[in-house]
Amino acid sequence: QVQLVESGGEWVQPGGSLRLSCRFSGYSYSRPCMAWYRQAASKDREGVAGISSGHHFVTDPVRGRANISIDAAKNTLYLEITNAKIEDTGMYVCAAVCSELICNTCFRLKSYDYWGQGTQVTVSS
């Protein structure tokens, strides 16, 4: 059973930085298939960043401001966002393990097998 526990959510001012962590257990991989999503109030969940087949990527809303990384020794997935914007506010959730043939399919369909509970990020002045 894979377990994902997010942390690091906080209140930051616009222009500030934040670093989110997702500690995982029970997940053995040769190439990790993991991602970060966020959901603002009254909006659909949207993909923020992912790791697929050794490739790291971020989506347009955070491009140039965000970085996703993984520390295999610590079993932890990270998301760093700089120059935070009000529209970055939301519940950030990490996801892992994909039963599709291609990891990117799970990112596009939001169909990872395991999801964390989330950590809240608020960007306001």
Side-chain angles (χ1 to χ4, degrees):
Q1 181 76 7
V2 175
Q3 292 187 324
L4 307 170
V5 180
E6 302 92 337
S7 63
E10 61 179 327
W11 171 81
V12 295
Q13 292 186 330
S17 299
L18 56 96
R19 188 193 198 201
L20 306 180
S21 301
C22 172
R23 183 166 177 81
F24 56 90
S25 60
Y27 182 28
S28 298
Y29 56 84
S30 55
R31 286 187 169 186
C33 181
M34 303 185 73
W36 284 99
Y37 289 80
R38 67 187 181 189
Q39 187 166 15
S42 303
K43 292 188 176 181
D44 291 335
R45 181 174 289 181
E46 67 170 350
V48 179
I51 295 178
S52 170
S53 300
H55 176 59
H56 298 198
F57 61 90
V58 300
T59 58
D60 286 344
V62 297
R63 195 174 306 282
R65 304 188 293 116
N67 181 61
I68 184 172
S69 61
I70 188 169
D71 186 330
K74 295 182 178 180
N75 281 358
T76 302
L77 180 74
Y78 298 100
L79 177 69
E80 296 178 277
I81 296 178
T82 60
N83 190 22
K85 300 180 179 181
I86 292 176
E87 50 264 42
D88 291 327
T89 295
M91 181 68 75
Y92 283 70
V93 180
C94 69
V97 185
C98 178
S99 298
E100 304 287 345
L101 290 178
I102 301 174
C103 178
N104 280 347
T105 300
C106 282
F107 186 84
R108 179 170 54 86
L109 298 180
K110 305 174 191 175
S111 60
Y112 292 87
D113 293 349
Y114 298 96
W115 296 79
Q117 293 298 310
T119 186
Q120 178 68 36
V121 171
T122 302
V123 183
S124 72
S125 54

